[in-house]
Amino acid sequence: MESKSMLVISVHDSNRHTNKAYLKYISEQNPSPIPCFLIGFYPKSGSKRRYAILNGSSFVASLGEDSSLRENEIALNEDQCVSANTAIGNMVTVEIFEATNGIEKIAELYVWLEMDWPQDREIDAEVLAKKLIKAFHDQVMHLNQRIQFRCGEFHGNFTVNRIIAASNGAISRQGMLDKETKIVFVSENLKIFNQALASRKIFHRNINFTNIEHDLMALGVGGMEKIFKEIFERVFSIRSLDPELARRLNIAPIRGILLHGPPGTGKTLLVKTIAKIVDAKPPKVVEGPQLLASLVGESESKVRELFREAREDFKKYGEQSPVHIIIFDEIDSIAPKRGTTRMENVTDRIVSQLLAMIDGMTELNNILIVGTTNRMELIDEALLRPGRLELHIKVDLPDEEARLNILKVHANTLEQRGYIQPDVNLEEIAYMTDGWSGADLAGVVRSAFSHALNRTRSDEGVICESQIRLYQYDFLHGIHSIPRGFLA
C-alpha cells in the first residue's frame, strides 16, 4: 500500500471537534494530483468516505479536506496526535486504508464522558448519543481513544472504554460507529439519565449447558459439572440480568463463595477455570503467607490493595465492568476465629479489614470473593454470614464417573501424541481409585508416564521419544506408587 510522509500541524479550530485528519485535496480534474494518492483520493469523487492509517499503527483516521493546507501537511488535534503516537511539528506517514479491511461495526460502545456541563442539569443520554452518532458515524473507534466533540454551546470529550462487535458480541479493540450503535456513558461527576439498556455479556465463550462437562474437560477440569452448574445458577445467572432490571427487583448478586472439602479436589482450579469462561479478569490468588506480615498496618494495606483494581474498573466501566475474582486459598489460615491463634494480633486485623472491605463493596457488582478451605469450622463465623461468603459449596472427593473424566483430562495430551496403547483401560483405573482426589489421580498419570519414560532411556541417559509407550501396567504402577497411608 502506498504511503507518504507528511508534516503534522495543528487543526483549525473549526475542525477540532470532527475527529477527522485534514489534508489538502486536489480535485480529479487537476492534472497534477498528489503523487502518492493516484488511487482516487479526491474530495468530491463520490460519497465514499476516506480513511488512512497514521504512522503505520492500528490507528485509522477518517479524512477531511482543508484547502488552506499545503500538499505535504496533515492537520490533527492533540488527542489524535496521541492516538497516532506523534506530535505537532513531527513527520508522520499517511497510508490509504480501505474500511472494508476487517473493521467490524460496533453494537455497543462504552465511553468515559467529560463535559463542561452545568452541575445542576442532567444529561439526556439518548439525546447525546444521537448527536455523537450523527457527528461520528462511519468513523473507526479505538480502545482508549479520546475524542473531542461539541454539543451546542458545550464542549466535551469521551474516552473509549469498551467495544462490542455487532457480528458476534465479542469484545474488540476497534470498530466502526454505526447508526444502530448503542452508546453507554460512564462519568464520575455528571448526572446522566435515559441511559441505553445494553446487553450484559457474561461468557467469553459459548457454553453448552446440556453437556458442560465436555467444555470443562476441554479446559482441563474433570468431574466438576454439578458444582459448576450450582455456581452459575447461584452466582452468575443474576449477573446476566440487565442491571436496571436487577435494581428494580432489588436483587443483588452474590459476592462471596466458600468452597470447602478435602484437599486436592480442585477447588482453586475450578475457580480459575470459571474465570476463563466468564467475562472476568485473571483471578488474584492469595495465600496466607502473603498477608501474614508482621509490621502493623502492612497486612491491612495488602487487603485494601486487592480490591483497588475492582473499584477503579467499576468507576470506569460501571455495570459493564468485567468481574474481578479474588481467591483466598486456605482462608482458614488467614481468617481464623478471632482470638484463637498465636498470631491473633495479625489475623484479627486481617479479618477485620477483610470484613470492612466486603461490607464496603455493596455498590460494586463486579467483584467475587472465593475462599477455599479444608477446615470450614476454623473460619471466623462473621465471614460466613449473608452478604459476605454466603454461598457454601462442598467440593467432595470425586465419584467413579468423575474420576474417569479427571483421568481422561490428564491423559489427553499423552493420547494425542500417540503414547497411550490400546490395552489402557482408564475405566478400570477409575474403579480402583475409590476415595482418591483429583490431585491423586493426576499423580497416577504422572507416575505412569515416568515409569514408561524410564524404559526408553539408553545407557547414556538419552530418552527416545518415538519409543515412548504407556500400557495398562504403567497406570497400575502409578496407583501402587502412591502410599495408601498418604491418602488417608
Side-chain angles (χ1 to χ4, degrees):
M1 188 67 72
E2 293 179 289
S3 64
K4 182 177 181 179
S5 182
M6 307 187 81
L7 176 67
V8 179
I9 69 169
S10 182
V11 72
H12 193 276
D13 285 345
S14 61
N15 295 329
R16 176 170 297 279
H17 301 97
T18 66
N19 196 43
K20 291 182 179 180
Y22 286 86
L23 302 174
K24 179 184 180 69
Y25 289 121
I26 300 177
S27 69
E28 283 182 314
Q29 289 75 29
N30 193 305
S32 303
I34 301 175
C36 173
F37 301 141
L38 294 174
I39 58 174
F41 214 55
Y42 306 106
K44 312 285 188 184
S45 59
S47 59
K48 183 178 178 182
R49 293 182 179 271
R50 306 295 182 178
Y51 305 88
I53 294 177
L54 304 186
N55 249 3
S57 66
S58 61
F59 178 58
V60 179
S62 295
L63 298 176
E65 175 188 9
D66 184 349
S67 59
S68 68
L69 298 175
R70 296 185 178 91
E71 290 184 4
N72 70 330
E73 292 178 338
I74 182 169
L76 305 174
N77 67 32
E78 54 273 19
D79 290 318
Q80 292 171 314
C81 286
V82 172
S83 297
N85 194 27
T86 188
I88 304 298
N90 287 357
M91 300 300 291
V92 64
T93 57
V94 181
E95 181 179 312
I96 305 305
F97 179 78
E98 290 293 334
T100 55
N101 291 351
I103 301 293
E104 293 257 16
K105 289 184 177 180
I106 299 173
E108 298 169 9
L109 183 72
Y110 299 87
V111 302
W112 176 263
L113 179 65
E114 296 176 298
M115 282 185 73
D116 56 351
W117 191 263
Q119 292 186 352
D120 58 342
R121 289 175 58 183
E122 293 185 329
I123 295 176
D124 187 327
E126 184 178 359
V127 172
L128 180 58
K130 287 180 178 178
K131 289 182 179 293
L132 295 181
I133 289 173
K134 182 178 180 180
F136 303 122
H137 73 89
D138 290 343
Q139 291 197 19
V140 179
M141 302 283 130
H142 304 79
L143 188 64
N144 298 322
Q145 180 183 5
R146 188 172 183 265
I147 298 170
Q148 301 179 24
F149 67 90
R150 183 163 43 210
C151 182
E153 60 183 299
F154 301 104
H155 296 81
N157 63 75
F158 63 86
T159 303
V160 177
N161 286 338
R162 176 175 285 199
I163 296 171
I164 305 296
S167 62
N168 56 12
I171 297 173
S172 180
R173 295 193 63 82
Q174 65 179 14
M176 184 172 291
L177 195 67
D178 185 66
K179 292 181 179 179
E180 302 301 320
T181 300
K182 290 181 181 179
I183 301 181
V184 181
F185 300 99
V186 180
S187 182
E188 183 175 10
N189 301 316
L190 298 172
K191 298 176 182 178
I192 302 173
F193 74 101
N194 210 12
Q195 186 80 270
L197 293 181
S199 62
R200 196 162 190 184
K201 183 176 175 62
I202 292 296
F203 293 107
H204 261 318
R205 60 182 74 206
N206 294 327
I207 296 296
N208 180 7
F209 278 90
T210 61
N211 189 9
I212 294 175
E213 184 73 3
H214 177 270
D215 290 342
L216 291 175
M217 289 176 66
L219 292 170
V221 177
M224 291 288 193
E225 180 176 6
K226 293 179 181 178
I227 297 172
F228 177 86
K229 282 184 176 179
E230 183 174 2
I231 292 176
F232 172 75
E233 291 170 359
R234 298 289 302 277
V235 178
F236 291 103
S237 58
I238 293 178
R239 293 174 185 266
S240 65
L241 287 176
D242 180 89
E244 195 61 38
L245 175 60
R247 274 194 290 270
R248 288 198 294 266
L249 296 174
N250 196 27
I251 298 176
I254 289 176
R255 297 184 178 89
I257 306 174
L258 180 71
L259 299 179
H260 60 97
T265 49
K267 297 181 285 292
T268 303
L269 177 62
L270 174 62
V271 182
K272 289 181 177 179
T273 304
I274 289 174
K276 295 177 183 178
I277 296 173
V278 302
D279 182 21
K281 291 291 187 74
K284 297 177 180 177
V285 182
V286 183
E287 298 177 355
Q290 292 178 262
L291 289 181
L292 295 178
S294 58
L295 295 178
V296 176
E298 188 173 339
S299 296
E300 296 97 309
S301 175
K302 289 181 179 179
V303 172
R304 290 192 295 271
E305 181 63 22
L306 290 171
F307 292 81
R308 179 184 58 79
E309 188 178 358
R311 290 184 178 278
E312 290 177 352
D313 263 12
F314 196 77
K315 178 180 175 181
K316 187 176 182 182
Y317 299 113
E319 295 290 351
Q320 295 298 325
S321 167
V323 178
H324 289 252
I325 301 177
I326 304 174
I327 305 172
F328 290 92
D329 208 11
E330 298 184 19
I331 194 171
D332 52 281
S333 68
I334 56 178
K337 293 178 180 179
R338 281 169 284 188
T340 61
T341 69
R342 288 181 297 174
M343 297 186 66
E344 62 183 67
N345 189 35
V346 176
T347 56
D348 288 1
R349 294 200 315 267
I350 292 175
V351 173
S352 298
Q353 183 64 59
L354 190 55
L355 291 174
M357 296 303 298
I358 295 174
D359 292 343
M361 66 180 190
T362 54
E363 299 302 319
L364 302 183
N365 291 335
N366 68 332
I367 199 161
L368 178 64
I369 299 173
V370 181
T372 70
T373 183
N374 312 325
R375 302 288 303 278
M376 180 177 173
E377 71 278 4
L378 299 181
I379 300 173
D380 192 289
E381 293 177 357
L383 267 177
L384 307 181
R385 294 172 186 163
R388 295 169 180 172
L389 301 185
E390 61 181 276
L391 178 59
H392 307 157
I393 298 177
K394 186 173 184 179
V395 184
D396 217 335
L397 293 170
D399 60 19
E400 185 174 338
E401 181 183 358
R403 293 196 299 276
L404 175 59
N405 287 339
I406 293 170
L407 287 166
K408 287 180 177 178
V409 166
H410 291 290
N412 181 55
T413 304
L414 303 177
E415 186 173 16
Q416 288 180 352
R417 297 191 68 87
Y419 297 156
I420 293 183
Q421 299 306 295
D423 78 316
V424 171
N425 185 348
L426 294 181
E427 287 83 356
E428 181 184 9
I429 304 301
Y431 175 78
M432 295 175 63
T433 49
D434 183 29
W436 292 40
S437 71
D440 299 327
L441 296 171
V444 169
V445 176
R446 286 194 301 270
S447 180
F449 179 66
S450 296
H451 191 247
L453 203 63
N454 286 330
R455 287 198 302 273
T456 71
R457 193 185 305 275
S458 68
D459 294 338
E460 293 78 22
V462 178
I463 292 175
C464 182
E465 184 185 358
S466 63
Q467 297 179 10
I468 298 175
R469 302 286 187 274
L470 269 81
Y471 299 94
Q472 183 71 353
Y473 64 79
D474 291 309
F475 285 90
L476 295 174
H477 171 83
I479 290 176
H480 296 299
S481 68
I482 301 178
R484 294 298 297 163
F486 176 74
L487 299 171

